Amino acid sequence: MTTVLNTPQLTINNVSTRYVEGSLVYNTGKGEVNFRTHTAGPGDLEVVTAEDVNTKIGMVKFTLISTVENAALVRQWQSNVGANRITTSLSGLTENFAQMSVSNNPDITTGNDASFEVEFQGNAS
């Protein structure tokens, strides 16, 4: 049976964190590979590959409902530059991110149906 990635557990700094379902996005930061070819003449081609280390950045983003508690959490995470630890986990698929920082400056939206997005970046998973 196939398991859909639906509502994985999100843990930040060893605290289970509630988020808006369907908003959690992550990138393990394994990076991209660049491909080029070089030649010695007709019919003599070779593909050269190189890892693009500039793209080896882990990313986790999600949406929070606008509550006083969530606004306070964001302030705490923002002050924890380079020291946040994030884990996502569902059915044996676990990703760990270390040395994460809040990379956006969330606009804390107000209202009874308001929410805001938080994005972290840091070391690859």
Side-chain angles (χ1 to χ4, degrees):
M1 183 162 133
T2 302
T3 302
V4 174
L5 285 173
N6 188 24
T7 63
Q9 181 177 12
L10 175 64
T11 305
I12 302 176
N13 301 328
N14 297 316
V15 176
S16 183
T17 303
R18 296 180 187 275
Y19 61 94
V20 174
E21 192 278 322
S23 70
L24 179 61
V25 177
Y26 65 86
N27 183 316
T28 59
K30 300 302 183 210
E32 297 176 6
V33 176
N34 295 328
F35 299 87
R36 299 185 314 163
T37 59
H38 58 177
T39 183
D44 187 354
L45 295 175
E46 181 180 43
V47 175
V48 179
T49 60
E51 291 183 271
D52 184 351
V53 296
N54 291 313
T55 61
K56 290 185 171 276
I57 299 170
M59 182 276 300
V60 178
K61 67 180 173 181
F62 51 88
T63 301
L64 295 174
I65 293 175
S66 290
T67 66
V68 170
E69 294 80 10
N70 284 342
L73 269 176
V74 169
R75 283 195 300 273
Q76 180 183 354
W77 297 333
Q78 285 176 308
S79 68
N80 225 10
V81 175
N84 293 291
R85 298 188 61 79
I86 301 174
T87 301
T88 64
S89 181
L90 179 70
S91 299
L93 177 63
T94 300
E95 300 292 347
N96 294 297
F97 300 86
Q99 298 178 329
M100 300 294 280
S101 301
V102 175
S103 58
N104 66 335
N105 189 18
D107 291 325
I108 308 299
T109 308
T110 62
N112 68 347
D113 195 27
S115 59
F116 58 93
E117 185 174 82
V118 180
E119 180 173 333
F120 289 83
Q121 291 187 35
N123 282 358
S125 169

